[in-house]
Amino acid sequence: MNVKDSEHIIAELSDEYEITQNPENADLILLNTCSVREKPVQKLFSELGALNKKNPNAKFGVCGCTASHMGKEIIKRAPFVSFVLGARNVSRIKEALNTPKAVITDLDYDETTYVFKNTRKNPYKDFINIMVGCDKKCSYCIVPKTRGKELSIPMDLIIGQIEKLAAEGVKEITLLGQNVNNYGKRFSVSHPKVDFTDLLREVSKIDGIERIRFTSPHPLHADDRFLEEFANNPKICKHIHFPLQSGSTKLLKAMRRGYSKEWFLNRCEIIRQIPDVSITTDIIVGFPGESEEDFEETMDVLEKVRFEQIFSFVYSPRPLTEAADMPNQVDKQVAKERLYRLQKRHAEILDEIAKNQIGKIYKVLIEEPGMGKSDNFFTVKIPQKDKYLGEIVDVKITNANKHTLSGEVVK
Ligand code: SF4
C-alpha cells in the first residue's frame, strides 16, 4: 500500500515535477514512511539528516504512516521539514506543498471517492486500492492509528478505473486493502450491499482483464463463499497471501486476531484442494507471552501448510498499541533464536517445494524481458528476452531454486 501511495503522490505532482535519481539536484525530497516496525522510524531521522546535508536547499516533506502518528513532532525534530502528510491524506499532497509547515494527518479524511491520476509503471499490470483504513484492533498493530477507520471505495469507481486500465492493455490487476475480504462493510456514500466476492465477480467480467490478484485477505473473513469464488473463478490467480501471525490460539487471542489455529488450518486445507495453489503468510515471533509451546504451534502450522513464502519478523513493540504495554515481553535473544529456527525450517521446505516444480507447466505473464510471474506467484525466467513481452504463455519448468523457476515456453 505504501508503494501505491508513493505512486499516487508522484502522479499527483507529475505536472509540476519530474523524478530524479539524484537527491543533490532535487527541488523537492519526499520520504514516504512506514511505521509497522520500529526500525524504519529510527531510519527516518538519520535519512532526513543525511539528505539535508547533501541538499540543504531542497524542500522536504514526510508522508505516510510515521507522518500520521508523529505529526508535528517530525518538524520539531527536523525543523527543515516543510510539511507532514499522513497516510490517509495522500490526495492532499498539493495542499501540503503549498501550505508552509503544513501538518495534515486527518484520520477521518475520506479519500474513497477521489480518483487519483494514472500511476501505472508496468504496461501489463497495475494495483488498485479498494478500501482505506482498518477497523481491526490487532493488539500489536499501529495501522488503525495511522490509516484510520475502514472505508470501502464505491464499486462503480473501482470497476470504472479497471475498465479504463483494461482498455489501455492492462491484463493483470491486484486489488489492494488492509482486509480486502471485508470489502463492503462501510461506504461513505450510499451504496448497495456488496461484499468482496461480489467485487471479484464484477472485476472478472471486464474484458481484457485476464488475471486478478488481491492482498491481503484476513483469515477471519475467509468464509466458504469467498473460498469457493477463489477456487472456481478462472480469472483469479491461485495465490493467496494469508497472514497467520501465530500458530498458537492462545497468542492469536492475545493478538486479537479473531480466529484460532484450527480455523486457520481448516481454511488452508480447503485452499490446498486447488491444484498448484500457493499460500504465503506473515509470522510474528516472540509476541508477548509466547512460550516455547506456543512457538511449536507456529512450527506445527508451518509443517502442515508448507507455505510457499513467509514474511517473518521478531515482534516489534509499537507505540499506541496494547501489546507494547503487555508485561510478559519475550527476551529478544530467545525471539531471535526462534526466528532463526523458523526460517531455517522454512528454507528446507522451500527446497522441497522447488524440486516439485520441475516438469510442471504454468501460465506466466511475461512482465519484463525474459521474466514473469506464474499464476501462483512464482518468479519464472524464460530464455527469450525479445519475445512474449506482455503475453501470458505456458512455461514448462526445467530448473528451480528457492526463489526462481526457469523453463521453456511450450505454448
Ligand atoms: S488487520 Fe490487524 S494487522 Fe492488519 S492492518 Fe488491521 S490491525 Fe493491523
Side-chain angles (χ1 to χ4, degrees):
M1 293 201 62
N2 276 0
V3 170
K4 192 69 198 170
D5 287 348
S6 297
E7 289 180 1
H8 280 149
I9 291 172
I10 291 166
E12 290 297 301
L13 297 180
S14 60
D15 49 355
E16 288 175 50
Y17 292 90
E18 60 186 52
I19 297 278
T20 172
Q21 297 306 324
N22 191 351
E24 284 89 350
N25 298 338
D27 298 311
L28 171 67
I29 296 179
L30 298 177
L31 274 87
N32 193 19
T33 58
C34 174
S35 61
V36 158
R37 297 175 49 75
E38 201 181 351
K39 235 189 194 151
V41 179
Q42 294 165 351
K43 249 179 111 178
L44 167 66
F45 289 98
S46 57
E47 194 71 17
L48 274 172
L51 286 166
N52 184 235
K53 222 176 191 179
K54 273 191 196 161
N55 185 349
N57 299 321
K59 192 168 193 173
F60 281 83
V62 176
C63 314
C65 285
T66 304
S68 299
H69 93 87
M70 289 189 75
K72 59 178 187 287
E73 178 67 23
I74 294 176
I75 298 184
K76 246 194 222 162
R77 282 177 64 177
F80 57 87
V81 170
S82 300
F83 66 87
V84 170
L85 182 73
R88 182 82 177 221
N89 308 92
V90 174
S91 62
R92 299 169 74 183
I93 178 69
K94 286 199 173 169
E95 179 190 338
L97 205 53
N98 296 322
T99 314
K101 299 291 173 196
V103 176
I104 303 177
T105 55
D106 180 359
L107 281 187
D108 293 323
Y109 193 65
D110 178 14
E111 272 185 342
T112 56
T113 53
Y114 185 88
V115 177
F116 286 97
K117 286 190 182 153
N118 192 347
T119 61
R120 184 154 45 92
K121 276 197 194 141
N122 186 298
Y124 317 113
K125 61 173 196 176
D126 204 356
F127 295 79
I128 195 142
N129 291 82
I130 64 163
M131 65 215 299
V132 298
C134 178
D135 275 358
K136 297 277 182 291
K137 292 189 168 54
C138 300
S139 59
Y140 54 82
C141 183
I142 195 171
V143 169
K145 306 263 181 358
T146 62
R147 288 189 178 268
K149 74 174 182 195
E150 192 172 299
L151 280 178
S152 296
I153 294 174
M155 190 147 92
D156 55 351
L157 274 186
I158 297 171
I159 298 297
Q161 285 182 67
I162 300 176
E163 281 172 344
K164 221 169 133 220
L165 292 169
E168 291 168 7
V170 168
K171 292 183 174 176
E172 180 183 299
I173 202 81
T174 303
L175 308 174
L176 282 180
Q178 300 297 342
N179 290 300
V180 285
N181 53 344
N182 205 27
Y183 176 79
K185 182 186 163 197
R186 186 190 300 121
F187 293 92
S188 65
V189 291
S190 113
H191 198 285
K193 201 168 163 36
V194 286
D195 67 9
F196 187 56
T197 304
D198 298 323
L199 178 66
L200 286 171
R201 286 181 185 158
E202 285 308 306
V203 175
S204 64
K205 285 182 196 157
I206 299 174
D207 280 343
I209 294 299
E210 295 182 40
R211 313 221 286 188
I212 303 167
R213 299 187 187 278
F214 49 83
T215 195
S216 293
H218 194 297
L220 175 67
H221 303 298
D223 56 25
D224 292 348
R225 194 171 111 89
F226 161 64
L227 292 186
E228 267 167 39
E229 188 66 21
F230 175 64
N232 298 322
N233 186 328
K235 284 196 177 178
I236 300 178
C237 289
K238 300 305 176 249
H239 160 240
I240 189 163
H241 186 71
F242 211 46
L244 167 68
Q245 309 305 3
S246 170
S248 152
T249 297
K250 182 191 100 190
L251 282 199
L252 286 170
K253 212 168 172 193
M255 290 176 169
R256 299 199 188 284
R257 291 289 293 169
Y259 53 87
S260 63
K261 176 187 180 188
E262 287 66 35
W263 170 260
F264 187 91
L265 285 175
N266 170 271
R267 300 292 93 185
C268 289
E269 222 173 274
I270 294 172
I271 296 166
R272 277 288 183 219
Q273 288 166 14
I274 304 168
D276 292 326
V277 71
S278 286
I279 308 178
T280 58
T281 200
D282 302 324
I283 294 174
I284 298 171
V285 174
F287 184 79
E290 185 187 73
S291 64
E292 186 55 28
E293 290 71 34
D294 294 318
F295 175 67
E296 284 303 329
E297 301 273 5
T298 300
M299 292 295 278
D300 184 47
V301 176
L302 181 72
E303 290 303 330
K304 289 192 165 115
V305 181
R306 296 173 64 82
F307 301 101
E308 273 72 11
Q309 205 177 351
I310 60 169
F311 298 89
S312 51
F313 298 96
V314 164
Y315 165 71
S316 172
R318 307 304 300 120
L320 313 173
T321 64
E322 197 187 335
D325 296 326
M326 287 181 178
N328 41 4
Q329 302 285 325
V330 173
D331 180 86
K332 272 269 160 331
Q333 261 331 99
V334 172
K336 277 187 187 166
E337 187 268 335
R338 285 179 189 160
L339 183 71
Y340 173 77
R341 272 156 61 200
L342 177 84
Q343 293 181 339
K344 184 165 172 284
R345 177 61 194 130
H346 185 246
E348 292 163 7
I349 291 175
L350 272 190
D351 274 335
E352 291 158 24
I353 290 175
K355 272 188 215 133
N356 288 338
Q357 306 309 315
I358 310 280
K360 295 215 165 169
I361 296 177
Y362 286 137
K363 293 222 169 295
V364 179
L365 170 61
I366 306 299
E367 299 167 6
E368 47 189 287
M371 201 152 85
K373 283 268 183 214
S374 67
D375 173 277
N376 55 359
F377 211 55
F378 287 112
T379 300
V380 180
K381 287 186 180 168
I382 57 167
Q384 298 88 348
K385 298 239 186 293
D386 52 350
K387 256 173 117 179
Y388 306 118
L389 202 56
E391 290 180 39
I392 297 174
V393 290
D394 286 340
V395 178
K396 184 169 184 184
I397 305 304
T398 51
N399 235 308
N401 66 38
K402 276 192 203 69
H403 308 290
T404 316
L405 310 179
S406 46
E408 293 156 10
V409 177
V410 290
K411 206 176 94 186

